[in-house]
């Protein structure tokens, strides 16, 4: 029997957190609730979790800060849950490393579906790293970048750069298909999959995060270029 997936719920409203916990547990997940942003790091050190359900408006430390800190240390799906519905908040959250975004009030069934979708996506990406290595090159070089395909590492010069699963998969996809323009929709379908609930605007946020890591000047990208009206292209 497979081990149950464990979800860390970060939510200061106990009524909401109890609803989240009840629905997640009834769907086969194990859960733990923390109510302050400052408690997240310790919880992640004490126990293994497969996904973080993260509210934005938290006492002690905001969800934005928590998201950044999680992404700087471990690679785990982060699903942001917030009352804020403005696109700028969504973009900011995704830009800090969140994988998905759901706004309050939400249908608990949708929350469960999003959790499952994010976990499936992470497992799919991890599975690729072990199942497809025989068909892929060991290393891809692009200017001063070295992409170690099998070990999922990226070096700029002699410095290793941390890449979460999705960012690495996007960079690898472009590196293996250089000088070809791909639309946001094509990238979304390739990386996130047809059954994923989301939108192609997410691609833009991930592209920007990748540029901040690989470009000498992310505002004037030379490697991962925007082709206006068409999509993106990696120049090799």
């Amino acid at each position: 029997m497979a081990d149950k997936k464990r979800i860390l719920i970060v939510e200061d409203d106990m009524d909401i957190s109890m609803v989240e916990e009840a629905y997640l547990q009834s769907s086969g997940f194990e859960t733990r609730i923390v109510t302050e942003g400052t408690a997240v790091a310790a919880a992640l050190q004490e126990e293994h979790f497969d996904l973080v359900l993260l509210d934005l408006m938290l006492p002690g430390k905001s969800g934005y800060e928590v998201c950044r800190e999680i992404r700087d240390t471990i690679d785990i799906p982060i699903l942001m849950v917030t009352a804020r519905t403005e696109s700028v908040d969504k973009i900011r959250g995704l830009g800090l490393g969140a994988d998905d975004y759901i706004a309050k009030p939400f249908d608990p069934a949708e929350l469960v579906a999003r959790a499952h979708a994010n976990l499936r996506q992470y497992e799919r990406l991890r599975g690729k790293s072990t199942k497809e290595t025989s068909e892929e090159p060991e290393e891809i070089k692009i200017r001063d970048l070295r992409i170690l395909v099998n070990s999922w590492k990226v070096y700029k010069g002699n410095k290793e750069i941390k890449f979460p699963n999705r960012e690495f998969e996007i960079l690898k996809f472009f590196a293996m298909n250089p000088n070809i323009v791909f639309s946001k929709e094509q990238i979304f379908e390739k990386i996130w999959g047809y059954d994923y609930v989301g939108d192609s605007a997410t691609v833009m946020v991930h592209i920007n995060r990748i540029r901040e890591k690989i470009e000498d000047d992310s505002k004037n990208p030379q490697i991962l270029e925007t082709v206006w009206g068409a999509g993106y292209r990696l120049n090799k």
Side-chain angles (χ1 to χ4, degrees):
M1 183 175 174
D3 292 337
K4 288 186 176 182
K5 298 295 184 182
R6 307 194 72 247
I7 296 179
L8 178 63
I9 299 171
V10 188
E11 171 63 68
D12 64 320
D13 186 317
M14 289 306 298
D15 290 335
I16 293 175
S17 65
M18 295 302 289
V19 169
E20 292 173 343
E21 182 174 62
Y23 272 84
L24 290 168
Q25 288 185 352
S26 69
S27 298
F29 294 107
E30 292 183 353
T31 60
R32 174 178 169 182
I33 297 172
V34 297
T35 58
E36 295 187 3
T38 51
V40 174
L44 290 173
Q45 288 179 349
E46 292 165 4
E47 302 177 56
H48 167 77
F49 292 96
D50 299 286
L51 182 142
V52 177
L53 195 59
L54 178 63
D55 186 40
L56 279 185
M57 307 303 290
L58 295 166
K61 186 179 289 185
S62 76
Y64 291 124
E65 294 177 88
V66 173
C67 182
R68 184 190 297 112
E69 290 175 0
I70 294 173
R71 194 50 80 224
D72 285 344
T73 54
I74 60 174
D75 189 14
I76 185 174
I78 301 172
L79 175 54
M80 278 194 163
V81 185
T82 177
R84 296 188 172 191
T85 57
E86 294 86 351
S87 59
V88 64
D89 293 306
K90 175 180 178 180
I91 296 299
R92 183 182 177 193
L94 293 170
L96 290 172
D99 294 280
D100 204 356
Y101 184 104
I102 188 169
K104 302 174 187 174
F106 53 82
D107 179 350
E110 182 185 359
L111 176 67
V112 171
R114 291 289 184 99
H116 279 297
N118 278 277
L119 287 166
R120 281 198 308 271
Q121 175 66 6
Y122 260 61
E123 288 173 357
R124 184 179 71 83
L125 293 180
R126 287 199 180 103
K128 278 189 172 185
S129 69
T130 57
K131 293 178 183 177
E132 298 182 2
T133 53
S134 61
E135 303 174 9
E136 298 175 345
E138 278 284 334
E139 180 177 307
I140 304 173
K141 292 184 179 180
I142 302 164
R143 305 189 189 194
D144 64 342
L145 292 178
R146 288 191 302 125
I147 304 167
L148 306 184
V149 175
N150 295 348
S151 56
W152 282 48
K153 292 184 178 182
V154 179
Y155 290 86
K156 184 173 177 63
N158 295 319
K159 182 181 179 182
E160 183 179 353
I161 309 168
K162 287 187 177 181
F163 271 78
N165 274 348
R166 281 198 183 93
E167 290 178 28
F168 183 87
E169 187 73 6
I170 293 170
L171 178 62
K172 185 179 77 170
F173 172 68
F174 273 106
M176 294 183 68
N177 299 277
N179 307 316
I180 301 173
V181 177
F182 294 96
S183 69
K184 286 188 288 187
E185 291 75 20
Q186 287 175 315
I187 300 165
F188 186 83
E189 290 173 0
K190 176 66 178 177
I191 305 301
W192 278 262
Y194 289 98
D195 63 339
Y196 193 80
V197 181
D199 60 73
S200 58
T202 305
V203 173
M204 178 190 69
V205 178
H206 283 75
I207 292 290
N208 288 339
R209 283 177 57 82
I210 293 169
R211 283 173 170 164
E212 289 173 359
K213 297 176 181 181
I214 69 172
E215 300 282 357
D216 294 330
D217 179 3
S218 61
K219 303 298 183 184
N220 182 32
Q222 302 299 308
I223 300 174
L224 195 48
E225 181 182 17
T226 298
V227 180
W228 295 108
Y232 303 97
R233 174 180 61 214
L234 183 137
N235 298 313
K236 190 171 182 180

